[in-house]
Amino acid sequence: MEKMTINQAYRLSVAPMMDWTDRNCRAFHRALSTRALLYTEMVTAPAVIHGDRDRLLGFDAVEHPVALQLGGSDPAQLAEAAKIGEAYGYDEINLNVGCPSDRVQSGRFGACLMREPELVADCMAAIKEAVSVPATVKCRIGVDDQDPQESLFATVDASAAAGITHFVVHARKAWLKGLSPKENRDVPPLDYALVRRLKRERPHLTICINGGIGDLDQAEAHLKADDGVQLDGVMLGRAAYHEPALLGQVDRRIFGEATLDVDVFEALERYRPYMAARLDEGANLASMTRHMLGLMHGRAGARAFRRILTVEGVKSGAGLEVVDRAVDAVREAEARKARLGESEEAA
């Protein structure tokens, strides 16, 4: 297959999510879609520079295309961290201007940077100068009492003036005072129309939309140009994590590939060599299976699948036989359901 460009990959991406989208999660998601762009968890620039780089940045070649998301507000630090990330082989360097947690506020990065568009532009100019891969921004539409129609355009325009062309916009404000990070994912209202307006008025920029997109029907609707606006991409977050089976349809539905969807059993077979290799390195099975608990969502045997992986996967020495038992539980439950359906038809 011809290698896909990073611009093509923007059509659908999986959001960076703290404590979720680690290297094991990304390898699992890649088993479901060869096309979706995957993002790391946010890593702070100082951690990249001074920390255990292999632990923080290491990833498997199967993950490509994969982007490194950085947190920070010091242009020199971000430039150095971006260089390190590019040397590790990441396909994109992304700056987090959207995370609302207390930790990022105290560190002067994340969503609070929406108040400082010129600083964001300085950071992005430094990153862009430091690397040859795309330098991109993921932001909110504003924070606290900001007018989103002013804050979003100010942030985007400042970075665009520094030569940045790719933006992922979470179509919600972040309330840094009074709402928890969890509440910030749901409580502030979504303003998809503002993101579409941004694309309409800045058609030369690559604009991807994020926030509250629950399935591929919604993703496809965002990618349609019914109002004359053609967004460049959609970023899925919790939907892709909690119901990962939907990623098995992405290559066909979103990227237009003439291919069969990847079903859940095929995905597990694809993921199996990766799991085996990681187990041989001494990894714990649960560190990988925790990301697949929602894989059988809506299927007969889904509860048994989760229980087996959760209870048995954490045991010392647990291996791929645990995954096999969980899969067998689903196949047996589906066979029972099919037999019951045949009996009812016969009656």
Side-chain angles (χ1 to χ4, degrees):
M1 180 175 62
E2 182 181 350
K3 185 176 180 180
M4 178 177 56
T5 68
I6 194 76
N7 282 336
Q8 290 171 314
Y10 284 122
R11 191 160 175 82
L12 188 131
S13 55
V14 179
M17 293 175 280
M18 291 297 291
D19 300 321
W20 289 5
T21 53
D22 61 20
R23 60 183 299 182
N24 296 328
C25 176
R26 298 191 305 267
F28 171 53
H29 285 171
R30 183 58 70 217
L32 287 150
S33 169
T34 63
R35 292 299 201 180
L37 175 61
L38 306 179
Y39 281 78
T40 69
E41 305 168 89
M42 182 187 67
V43 187
T44 66
V48 171
I49 295 167
H50 303 295
D52 183 342
R53 294 177 185 174
D54 287 342
R55 181 181 64 81
L56 293 169
L57 300 180
F59 69 97
D60 193 283
V62 301
E63 296 174 40
H64 289 294
V66 58
L68 170 64
Q69 186 181 73
L70 294 175
S73 58
D74 182 289
Q77 285 186 341
L78 285 164
E80 185 176 353
K83 284 183 181 178
I84 294 167
E86 182 179 37
Y88 263 78
Y90 284 96
D91 300 292
E92 171 196 320
I93 306 296
N94 177 265
L95 180 65
N96 183 311
V97 190
C99 182
S101 77
D102 293 338
R103 185 166 67 89
V104 300
Q105 290 182 59
S106 64
R108 199 185 174 206
F109 57 96
C112 63
L113 288 176
M114 294 294 298
R115 298 194 188 105
E116 302 183 76
E118 294 304 326
L119 176 58
V120 174
D122 290 343
C123 291
M124 293 309 302
I127 293 172
K128 186 176 188 298
E129 177 67 22
V131 299
S132 59
V133 296
T136 70
V137 176
K138 184 176 187 293
C139 64
R140 293 275 184 145
I141 60 174
V143 296
D144 296 337
D145 294 324
Q146 286 184 319
D147 180 348
Q149 298 184 69
E150 296 177 2
S151 56
L152 175 60
F153 279 77
T155 297
V156 170
D157 287 345
S159 289
I164 303 303
T165 60
H166 295 70
F167 299 86
V168 180
V169 183
H170 185 153
R172 279 191 179 94
K173 269 188 177 184
W175 284 95
L176 305 181
K177 300 174 183 177
L179 290 182
S180 69
K182 182 176 185 298
E183 290 169 326
N184 263 295
R185 294 195 295 265
D186 298 298
V187 175
L190 288 157
D191 192 347
Y192 294 141
L194 182 61
V195 182
R196 299 189 76 84
R197 178 188 152 199
L198 176 67
K199 178 62 182 179
R200 180 184 297 109
E201 297 183 14
R202 308 290 188 271
H204 59 291
L205 299 177
T206 298
I207 305 296
C208 304
I209 195 166
N210 172 232
I213 302 168
D215 55 41
L216 293 186
D217 288 343
Q218 294 176 38
E220 288 178 320
H222 280 293
L223 291 169
K224 290 179 180 177
D226 293 342
D227 58 357
V229 175
Q230 181 67 63
L231 289 171
D232 299 286
V234 171
M235 177 178 276
L236 296 179
R238 285 169 289 164
Y241 189 86
H242 292 305
E243 298 182 34
L246 66 82
L247 291 175
Q249 304 173 42
V250 161
D251 293 357
R252 174 181 59 83
R253 292 181 59 177
I254 304 299
F255 291 94
E257 290 251 330
T259 184
L260 295 175
D261 294 344
V262 179
D263 73 19
V264 293
F265 302 112
E266 180 183 353
L268 289 175
E269 283 302 309
R270 290 183 178 187
Y271 191 41
R272 193 180 185 90
Y274 175 88
M275 288 190 287
R278 297 285 288 147
L279 288 170
D280 287 344
E281 294 170 358
N284 184 279
L285 181 69
S287 68
M288 293 172 279
T289 55
R290 73 186 185 97
H291 300 300
M292 61 173 73
L293 297 180
L295 182 62
M296 301 297 175
H297 177 81
R299 301 181 76 122
R303 182 177 299 178
F305 180 83
R306 292 192 301 271
R307 177 183 55 77
I308 292 169
L309 294 183
T310 302
V311 174
E312 299 185 26
V314 298
K315 294 179 180 178
S316 177
L320 294 179
E321 71 282 351
V322 174
V323 179
D324 293 337
R325 284 197 291 273
V327 169
D328 288 343
V330 174
R331 291 191 183 279
E332 290 167 6
E334 291 188 332
R336 285 195 300 272
K337 182 178 179 180
R339 288 195 297 271
L340 285 172
E342 291 172 0
S343 299
E344 290 173 359
E345 287 182 7

